[in-house]
Amino acid sequence: MASPNHFLDLNMIGKEALRHIIDDGISVKQARSGLPRGTVDGDAALEGHTLAAIFEFPSTRTRVSFDMAMRQLGGDTIVLNSTDMQLGRGETIADTARVLSRYVDAIMIRTDDHGKLQELAEYATVPVINGLTNDSHPCQLMADVMTFEEHLGSIEDKIVTWSGDGNNMVTSWIHAAGQFGFEFRVACPAELSPDSRALDWAKEVGANVHVTQDAQEAAAGAHCIVADTWVSMGDDAANRHNILAPFRVDEEMMSKAAGDAIFMHCLPAHREEEATTAVMDGPQSVIFDEAENRLHAQKAVLRWCLGTS
């Protein structure tokens, strides 16, 4: 039996496949322009298919965008919250994978432990999608690359600067830099540096990735500046605000970037912490385009996983 098309991390998928998913996301978005949100796409690509969406933590964008993605593709979603099941506790993850594979056509999971995602994929006979783990967030990155290219054209050879915590989003940006061929600058405190495994991978494949503690220098000439919340669920907030204060994205930092530079934030945001309201609501901000593109990019991911694109 052929292995399912899992979507686990960007460094595990071929460059051609990732390019195809981005292009397909843009195409499916354009094809339904002007239609009511609940209207099924003309080709109803996933009619008769069902996605099991597992949430071990609360979610707004991931939950609604995956649910609407399946509806627009003509399929259905079964949402499973942490209180609905005992993943890895009352039942092994392997057994959960085997059982769900008999009921549904694909599984999306949002969890803290990346190992749960990997074990689920190892034993599932249907595609498994990484909806977010503590290690990475590849679906958000597909929406971000799609958003960048809608505003500025091909991301290849462009410069993207991250300012803030070297978290799971940074890992996926590092993977994206290697796969899509752009320069990625990470400005972060030394104690919150990116995952060393991601940096090792970048070095191995020759990705253009740089890490610095100087956010102003990293912003110089960038085509895109990206920020994320400083304190995520489960983080210890103590001391984070002090050490991350020099990495706040404000109008002065944006002025150092390229003249047509855009600002991204995957949301939710704490305004006046990681970025000022003036930047978030300013003319260079594309944060709500990013949020919308979660829907379209994930539709393309689902179509690729299930072989309908």
Side-chain angles (χ1 to χ4, degrees):
M1 179 183 295
S3 176
N5 286 335
H6 298 310
F7 191 84
L8 305 183
D9 270 316
L10 300 187
N11 64 333
M12 299 175 68
I13 301 170
K15 293 180 181 180
E16 288 186 7
L18 292 174
R19 183 73 260 165
H20 170 77
I21 293 169
I22 292 292
D23 292 344
D24 191 50
I26 293 172
S27 178
V28 296
K29 178 180 181 180
Q30 293 174 343
R32 61 171 296 110
S33 177
L35 293 177
R37 305 285 191 266
T39 301
V40 176
D41 289 350
D43 62 356
L46 295 189
E47 183 176 10
H49 291 76
T50 300
L51 171 75
I54 301 173
F55 291 94
E56 293 205 296
F57 294 94
S59 168
T60 301
R61 275 152 294 278
T62 301
R63 179 165 181 162
V64 177
S65 59
F66 266 107
D67 196 0
M68 285 304 298
M70 285 301 293
R71 294 183 193 206
Q72 291 185 2
L73 290 166
D76 290 313
T77 308
I78 297 174
V79 175
L80 298 165
N81 296 309
S82 59
T83 53
D84 300 326
M85 56 197 308
Q86 295 184 327
L87 192 66
R89 300 191 299 273
E91 181 180 56
T92 68
I93 294 171
D95 285 352
T96 298
R98 293 179 178 115
V99 170
L100 289 181
S101 296
R102 302 294 182 101
Y103 296 149
V104 301
D105 301 288
I107 302 168
M108 187 285 298
I109 181 169
R110 177 182 175 135
T111 182
D112 55 345
D113 184 355
H114 200 76
K116 291 182 181 177
L117 167 79
Q118 293 172 318
E119 188 171 353
L120 197 65
E122 180 180 354
Y123 290 97
T125 57
V126 299
V128 173
I129 299 170
N130 178 358
L132 182 147
T133 73
N134 282 358
D135 283 10
S136 60
H137 199 357
C139 286
Q140 180 67 56
L141 254 294
M142 296 303 281
D144 290 354
V145 171
M146 180 176 164
T147 304
F148 183 103
E149 297 200 338
E150 284 181 330
H151 286 272
L152 298 177
S154 173
I155 198 170
E156 185 174 1
D157 296 326
K158 298 295 196 311
I159 301 170
V160 176
T161 292
W162 175 275
S163 189
D165 181 7
N167 60 14
N168 54 353
M169 279 292 296
V170 171
T171 292
S172 289
W173 270 108
I174 290 171
H175 293 162
Q179 298 290 55
F180 290 99
F182 59 88
E183 179 180 344
F184 184 51
R185 302 170 182 170
V186 186
C188 64
E191 54 268 59
L192 296 176
S193 292
D195 188 313
S196 60
R197 295 166 299 179
L199 293 175
D200 289 344
W201 176 85
K203 186 175 181 180
E204 180 182 332
V205 302
N208 195 358
V209 175
H210 310 279
V211 181
T212 177
Q213 282 78 58
D214 189 333
Q216 301 299 320
E217 180 182 277
H223 300 95
C224 177
I225 295 181
V226 191
D228 191 9
T229 183
W230 289 348
V231 182
S232 298
M233 286 181 289
D235 282 342
D236 180 1
N239 202 39
R240 274 182 168 262
H241 290 86
N242 288 333
I243 63 175
L244 284 164
F247 299 89
R248 174 183 295 112
V249 180
D250 56 16
E251 290 170 292
E252 180 183 355
M253 187 185 296
M254 289 300 301
S255 72
K256 298 181 185 303
D260 60 350
I262 56 177
F263 171 73
M264 287 189 178
H265 190 302
C266 62
L267 304 176
H270 296 86
R271 290 170 178 258
E272 302 301 331
E273 288 188 9
E274 61 267 18
T276 62
T277 294
V279 169
M280 296 193 68
D281 292 340
Q284 293 168 287
S285 175
V286 297
I287 60 176
F288 296 110
D289 291 341
E290 279 183 271
E292 177 186 348
N293 283 338
R294 287 291 302 277
L295 168 65
H296 306 294
Q298 287 163 188
K299 286 173 69 175
V301 168
L302 286 161
R303 286 160 57 95
W304 176 77
C305 286
L306 291 164
T308 63
S309 65

